Amino acid sequence: MQISVGTKIALKFAGGAAFTAAGVVCGIFARADAALFAPLLAGLLFGVLGDFLLAAKNVREKRCEKLFFAGGIAAFAAGHIAYIVYFYRLAPHGYLAPLSAAAFAVAYVLVTATVCKFKYGVMLVPVSLYCFVVVYSFAAAVSAAAAGTAGVLVAVGAALFLVSDIVLSVYIFAPVRCRALGILNLAAYFPAQFLLALSILFV
């Protein structure tokens, strides 16, 4: 059965409200330090905003689609920057994290654009910058994995987030669209956000 756009939006908002509420409850229960709790909460809230903007592009006029999509990318990028701050405060990382992220981002965009024929169009630069930020977030989370249970949770959560974004890029930009990838994207995305929200319990 085909799910309506309105139902999809409602489900995404329910998921966003749930993982944000989980982060708030866990932060309060753990009496988390504000220096750790603030960037984590900001990352969760930017995720909700990103979900709203990406959902809005499906219901607004066609001419607004790229604007909403760019806004969604910007919101998720801001969320990842907030997560990077959170990960760094769990366990500081060195210059290898951003350098490896930059190298991966360049390689990914080049390969997908030239070999896989992804149709980035005017979104090439925003997607490239977002790719750098999300991979940097993953590298920072991996660096924090040694920080006990919280570090392991953020590492797994960031890995799932990266998988979710790679799947989403294939779903949106690949020459042939596969609807099953949309389900796989959400199947990785929501557990990623919940794991990041729950990590504050173990700091």
Side-chain angles (χ1 to χ4, degrees), residues 93-161:
H93 57 265
Y95 64 89
L96 285 178
L99 286 180
S100 59
F104 180 91
V106 170
Y108 181 81
V109 172
L110 282 176
V111 170
T112 54
T114 58
V115 178
C116 303
K117 306 301 181 183
F118 279 22
K119 300 176 181 178
Y120 291 119
V122 296
M123 297 306 298
L124 178 62
V125 172
V127 167
S128 299
L129 292 174
Y130 179 76
C131 186
F132 164 71
V133 174
V134 69
V135 178
Y136 183 5
S137 178
F138 168 68
V142 170
S143 297
T149 303
V152 172
L153 288 176
V154 300
V156 176
L160 287 173
F161 217 136

Side-chain angles (χ1 to χ4, degrees), residues 188-203:
Y189 170 71
F190 284 115
Q193 292 281 39
F194 274 105
L195 286 174
L196 294 173
L198 291 174
S199 67
I200 196 72
L201 272 175
F202 302 96
V203 174

Side-chain angles (χ1 to χ4, degrees), residues 30-118:
R31 297 181 180 179
D33 182 79
L36 281 170
F37 187 47
L40 173 62
L41 182 59
L44 295 171
L45 290 173
F46 275 121
V48 175
L49 176 60
D51 281 336
F52 167 75
L53 291 170
L54 291 183
K57 80 180 181 65
N58 294 316
V59 296
R60 302 293 296 179
E61 302 132 28
K62 192 72 175 176
R63 61 188 175 85
C64 298
E65 184 175 343
K66 286 186 174 61
L67 183 61
F68 279 101
F69 185 63
I73 287 179
F76 277 112
H80 282 296
I81 291 170
Y83 284 145
I84 289 168
V85 174
Y86 174 57
F87 302 154
Y88 186 85
R89 288 175 179 171
L90 283 177
H93 57 265
Y95 64 89
L96 285 178
L99 286 180
S100 59
F104 180 91
V106 170
Y108 181 81
V109 172
L110 282 176
V111 170
T112 54
T114 58
V115 178
C116 303
K117 306 301 181 183
F118 279 22

